[in-house]
Amino acid sequence: METMNQDTIDMVEKIMDTVTMGYAYLYPQDGGARKEYLIATTPENMANFIGSHIYDAQKMVVTDMSDRLIVETCGGFLDRCPDQKLCGEIVQHLTPVQMGEKEAGEILAVDRTQADEYWAMEDAVVTMAEYRMEL
């Protein structure tokens, strides 16, 4: 398990600033263990995430914080996307990456374990603040 550092804290805060966050589950091409991430679920960020894993993921699933499906991929291509407007926006950003016309941009994502650590740390800070208010 990686320890949380300032870069991780900054990334979680960037993700939260987008006001659209969820979870990405990456199933590696080699059949290894599933990887879980907290990511910003903006169309551009999801396209960058998908585009950066075209060759190493057999499948990716992105959900909202309530675990409702946003998008599912097969290889590096969209397979299921219930919101067709959102699907079109993702494709608009993803196609140039798939075609090799551009590289995937910055990805707002952290390992889910690190995100959970961040929230546990925040809970501890809030609890201490509340405790001090009672003294």
Side-chain angles (χ1 to χ4, degrees):
M1 181 170 88
E2 293 181 44
T3 52
M4 191 169 34
N5 58 30
Q6 190 61 47
D7 289 343
T8 301
I9 293 167
D10 293 345
M11 182 57 75
V12 171
E13 290 173 354
K14 275 183 170 180
I15 293 166
M16 289 191 313
D17 286 347
T18 69
V19 192
T20 58
M21 59 185 175
Y23 297 112
Y25 305 96
L26 186 146
Y27 297 83
Q29 195 72 273
D30 64 9
R34 175 178 85 177
K35 298 176 184 174
E36 298 182 7
Y37 301 90
L38 172 74
I39 72 167
T41 56
T42 63
E44 184 174 9
N45 194 62
M46 287 189 289
N48 287 336
F49 184 83
I50 294 165
S52 71
H53 294 289
I54 288 175
Y55 301 110
D56 65 338
Q58 63 173 302
K59 174 181 175 178
M60 289 173 266
V61 177
V62 179
T63 68
D64 65 14
M65 297 298 285
S66 298
D67 213 27
R68 292 179 296 235
L69 180 67
I70 296 175
V71 67
E72 184 175 330
T73 71
C74 184
F77 300 94
L78 302 189
D79 187 30
R80 294 188 320 153
C81 186
D83 181 338
Q84 289 303 295
K85 182 178 182 283
L86 176 62
C87 184
E89 293 172 18
I90 295 169
V91 167
Q92 183 179 5
H93 294 286
L94 181 58
T95 301
V97 176
Q98 291 170 323
M99 302 295 286
E101 295 169 5
K102 73 171 205 162
E103 295 288 316
E106 178 187 20
I107 300 166
L108 302 180
V110 295
D111 183 271
R112 185 165 177 177
T113 305
Q114 292 176 316
D116 290 345
E117 263 183 64
Y118 174 90
W119 284 313
M121 178 189 73
E122 270 209 339
D123 285 347
V125 169
V126 168
T127 301
M128 287 303 294
E130 289 172 348
Y131 175 74
R132 285 189 187 121
M133 288 171 61
E134 291 179 12
L135 295 178

